[in-house]
Amino acid sequence: MKELPILHKQAITHTQLVRYAGASGDFNPIHTVVPVAKQAGLQDVIAHGMLVMGFAGQALTEWFPRQYLRSFQVRFSRMTYPGEQLSVSGQLVESMVRDGEERWLGELIVTNQTGEAKLKGTFEVWKGEPEGSENLPLIP
C-alpha cells in the first residue's frame, strides 16, 4: 500500500454552503436556512453531500492527472456541519489490469477534525505512460 498526501480543507462555512447551493442548483433549505434545518431535527444546516464528494474529487485530481481517472465511487457516512474541517486521505491498495490497461485501485476517506468519517470511496486510475514518458502521473 502507498499512502497519498492528505488534502486539508478549511472549515465549512454557511457562506460556502449558500455559494455551493447557487453553483449546484441545490436550494434545499436544510443546506442554507438554519431555522428550516432545525425544524427538520438537525442541529444546524448540513453541507451538500456533493460538496464533500467534490473535495474527494479535488484530492484525486491533485494526486493524478484527471484523464487517468477511470472510476470513482463513494458512500456517505455522516452529515457535515458548518465549522467542521475536512481532510481527504487516500491510499493505493492494489495493482490490477482491467480492460487491457494497468491500473491502481485506491481507497479514500473524508474525515473531520475529530476523525469522524464523512465519506468513504474507491477509485481506479490508469498507471500512466511507461517510465521515461513526459506524461507520467504526479503520484506515485
Side-chain angles (χ1 to χ4, degrees):
M1 277 194 274
K2 176 169 177 52
E3 299 290 327
L4 300 166
I6 297 172
L7 172 67
H8 297 282
K9 299 297 294 182
Q10 293 192 355
I12 301 285
T13 66
H14 286 87
T15 301
Q16 182 180 27
L17 297 180
V18 170
R19 288 181 175 163
Y20 187 81
S24 69
D26 182 350
F27 292 101
N28 186 328
I30 64 169
H31 298 300
T32 55
V33 182
V34 174
V36 171
K38 289 188 175 183
Q39 190 175 22
L42 302 169
Q43 66 189 41
D44 197 344
V45 294
I46 58 172
H48 303 75
M50 295 307 290
L51 175 63
V52 177
M53 185 177 175
F55 295 155
Q58 179 186 357
L60 279 172
T61 58
E62 289 187 10
W63 296 332
F64 306 98
R66 181 178 305 170
Q67 65 271 23
Y68 287 20
L69 184 63
R70 297 298 186 257
S71 72
F72 176 36
Q73 299 175 334
V74 303
R75 179 173 293 260
F76 298 98
S77 305
R78 301 271 181 173
M79 290 183 270
T80 300
Y81 294 95
E84 290 187 277
Q85 291 182 285
L86 302 182
S87 298
V88 185
S89 304
Q91 60 185 359
L92 299 175
V93 295
E94 182 180 332
S95 177
M96 60 186 287
V97 176
R98 187 185 308 264
D99 299 329
E101 192 175 70
E102 289 194 38
R103 297 181 184 181
W104 290 111
L105 173 63
E107 298 173 341
L108 59 77
I109 184 169
V110 178
T111 56
N112 69 5
Q113 68 276 13
T114 66
E116 181 180 64
K118 301 297 181 173
L119 170 154
K120 294 179 181 177
T122 61
F123 59 90
E124 289 180 20
V125 292
W126 178 43
K127 284 188 170 182
E129 299 290 335
E131 199 165 319
S133 167
E134 294 178 10
N135 235 359
L136 288 175
L138 301 177
I139 296 173

